[in-house]
Amino acid sequence: MHPFSILTLGIFIAGYTTARWDLVTRLYELAIFAWDHSVVARTAKGAAVLSAFFFLFFIPLERIAAKEAAEKEEALSERGKNETMVNNNGLLRIFWPADVPRTKKPGVLVGWRNSEFDLFVVTVLQDVEARNVDGALRAGILYRNSPHPIDQMFQLCGQPQMHVLGTTNASTSPETFEPSQIDVHVEPSCPVPQIFCPKHHQTCVQIIIYKKPSPFKMQYVSSEPISLALEDKSMKQKDSDVDNHEAASTQLLKKLRLHTVLKHQPTQQELLLPVILSQINCAMELTQLLSKNLNLIGSRQKRKLSVGERVVESASTLWGYVLSIVWHVITVWLWPVITRAFKIGLICHRIVAEVSLRVLEWRPRADAAALKDISATAQQVDIRLQQFCYWPIQYTTLRKRKEDWHSVTDRHPDYIRFYNSLWLVANDVIIGIALGSYIIENAEWVAATLNYFLSNWTITGLKNMIVWLTDWPAGLKLNNELASFLGDLFLWVIEFWSGSYLDYIKPALPHVIYFIGFSAFAGASMPIAMLSDLLSLLTVHVYSFYVASAKIYHWQLTIIVSLFHLFRGKKHNVLRDRIDSCDYDLDQLLLGTILFTLLAFLLPTVLVFYFTFAFSRMAIISLRALLDASLACLNHFPLFALMLRIKDPRRLPGGICFELRDTPASISHNLESNDIPMTSCVILKSVPLSLREMFDQYFQLGGRLRKHYFSPTVIFYLATGQFVPPMHRKNLYSLQYSMLPAQRADVTEVWKCINDEGLVASKPNTNGTPKIPNGFHSVSRRSYR
């Protein structure tokens, strides 16, 4: 304290004592009185008695109570461990990577602790101590220089922190078994590690060996098959009738599951399966990060650069400076201009495509068909324009993969869909160029061949068939007058169509072939679609014959059925849709008999004409279905996915499987000792996507075609002369639209998307540790060695 302060305090005490002198005098007299009457002695005796009582009684009671509380807490802890053992069925489950080096060097197990008896080993760090690795994990030393925030990896793996799980090939064996710090022995001759666990713990060990997928090659494991179609399209591409039937069946199955007597409750291991699969996908990236920062554990002295190294560094710095200037000019002056011009051109193309799509989707009325629903060519143009509109969105979405860890697997299906679409368009254009060149060079011959087939099959051949039907075909005695009438009617229509074809279509056919050939440069799908429309246009007279004959046959069959009810004394009640009894007069019965006899004898003649044109119509529908199948293969064939399935099946996961392996002989031999528990070995494998699932949408399309054209309803329609409607083009082309979104992005969204993609900057490292350049190390780094 300062001397002046001490003097000031002394002056204050002296002044206060002088001012209160009477109080000081009374305190002095009170002290003399207490000493004379033994007050101080009695107070000291009381304090001594209380102290002796406290030390003799209260302290022993407190120690006894603390001892009993500790014993009770230990008993509860042991009971909790036993309950944990019961919940885990006495099973210690360890996920072990298959790429761990099988050497006798000591190492440290680093990974995730999903539960006390559920451990996931990411990697084994050798030539380090467990306490140093644990300290480095807590301080974040091993997470330095990570390309992205490490918290995202922790969130992806479902754990807040990595842990040291134990050691391998330790010099001294532990005295007790602790699941939090296991002791593993690895031998070069044994692929399965041996876990130290005395048998009196009554714990079995299950080692699940997994192979790390490479996220840099876009490999990953998944319990669900990868979806090659967009999620918003997978539930909307089914036919309405089929969809309603399957929805009803699914709802019924859900109700049946609610009424089951035994319901399986998922175990803890089953609930952890999605988290474990995410940890497997992240294992390789974490292993590389930990191995890269392993040399940061411990202090090191930086070696000074030699004279030669300084000269090389100076030259490299000068050359790098020149390159940086050139790169600055390119990135600051040239690249923005090029990208801006490209974006403007892309937006102009998007505007033109939007106008064209609006024209193709325009409907005069709400229930009317659009142009793309009528023409296969318009449908193909609509598909290509929608693909061009969706590609910028797909590209910018895939570019965002660089902003996150490679272990994030959400965008892998988008990558496959994007490049599969590019491959299909490129192959379509290549095949179209070859096909278009051939058509243009041989346009006259193609036109003559097409004219020959159309004339012989749709005009001359049809004439000969009708003439044959009018003259007792195959010995069938038809009605001559009715057959002649129907034959003359159909022949007159054919003559009219033949004259129109020869006058207008045949001279223009070579020019049409030239136009189809030039359209092939946009892809082979365009001439196929045009050929489908041309086939529909040139066979419209066959379609009219089918409709006319079907109407006549259906009316005649309906009248015969009504007259048959008249014979039985019944009639059809239209209001209640049932057959009721009815009393007819004699005149009615007589007239009905005459009409029934007449129509029954005329029915074979109408039936022959109807079956002829119905089979012709089915043949044309089959040919168009073949062309539509060709379009489906060119627009949706999973070519890129099929190449990945052959080249790298792990990029197309279709699920997982657990394969139980026999226990190795070395472990079986060591089971006789008391330190090696019962051990089972399980191999976790990724099942690649099967070809059946890869072509699942083709099977769905085939099922829709089968249910539409080969169902009992269609057979009944054909037998009764009712019109068989063709399959709606929306359901037929749903396969080709499965890789496109249900709602396309407008021009504003595309502009924002491509501009935001260009402004994306690299995120700073937010791990809490600075990013250290290569070759520079901090001098004041803490030593963990």
Side-chain angles (χ1 to χ4, degrees), residues 279-311:
Q279 294 172 358
I280 292 176
N281 294 328
C282 302
M284 179 169 286
E285 205 164 7
L286 283 173
T287 300
Q288 293 187 1
L289 180 62
L290 296 178
S291 301
K292 182 176 64 176
N293 295 319
L294 185 61
N295 55 359
L296 297 180
I297 301 179
S299 60
R300 300 175 305 282
Q301 294 181 355
K302 181 184 176 182
R303 180 180 64 84
K304 294 183 179 180
L305 298 177
S306 62
V307 177
E309 291 175 342
R310 291 179 182 176
V311 173

Side-chain angles (χ1 to χ4, degrees), residues 203-250:
T203 301
C204 297
V205 177
Q206 184 184 65
I207 298 177
I208 302 176
I209 300 178
Y210 68 93
K211 187 177 180 181
K212 298 177 183 177
S214 176
F216 309 102
K217 297 180 181 179
M218 302 184 70
Q219 299 175 354
Y220 70 104
V221 295
S222 175
S223 59
E224 299 293 334
I226 184 175
S227 177
L228 299 180
L230 288 177
E231 296 296 332
D232 60 345
K233 305 292 291 187
S234 59
M235 299 303 296
K236 297 181 180 180
Q237 60 183 4
K238 296 183 178 180
D239 196 2
S240 57
D241 298 336
V242 179
D243 195 6
N244 295 333
H245 178 70
E246 292 184 357
S249 301
T250 305

Side-chain angles (χ1 to χ4, degrees), residues 127-200:
D127 299 329
V128 288
E129 296 182 1
R131 59 184 180 88
N132 296 334
V133 175
D134 185 66
L137 288 175
R138 295 178 184 274
I141 300 298
L142 292 176
Y143 306 138
R144 287 185 176 179
N145 301 326
S146 63
H148 307 286
I150 196 64
D151 294 337
Q152 296 180 2
M153 183 66 74
F154 291 160
Q155 184 179 4
L156 188 64
C157 296
Q159 297 293 332
Q161 185 68 29
M162 296 187 72
H163 302 278
V164 174
L165 305 179
T167 57
T168 60
N169 299 328
S171 57
T172 58
S173 300
E175 298 179 357
T176 59
F177 170 72
E178 291 292 338
S180 59
Q181 292 293 326
I182 60 176
D183 182 69
V184 183
H185 184 68
V186 179
E187 294 183 358
S189 60
C190 182
V192 181
Q194 302 178 17
I195 312 299
F196 170 80
C197 181
K199 291 185 177 181
H200 65 270

Side-chain angles (χ1 to χ4, degrees), residues 317-338:
T317 304
L318 180 60
W319 177 246
Y321 179 71
V322 175
L323 291 179
S324 64
I325 293 177
V326 176
W327 181 252
H328 178 76
V329 172
I330 295 175
T331 56
V332 175
W333 297 98
L334 297 179
W335 182 250
V337 176
I338 297 175

Side-chain angles (χ1 to χ4, degrees), residues 747-782:
V747 180
T748 306
E749 293 178 0
V750 174
W751 176 255
K752 291 181 180 179
C753 184
I754 60 178
N755 283 318
D756 292 342
E757 189 273 332
L759 297 176
V760 172
S762 59
K763 294 184 179 180
N765 196 325
T766 58
N767 296 332
T769 56
K771 187 171 182 178
I772 302 175
N774 295 331
F776 294 91
H777 306 283
S778 176
V779 178
S780 61
R781 185 180 293 110
R782 180 180 175 182

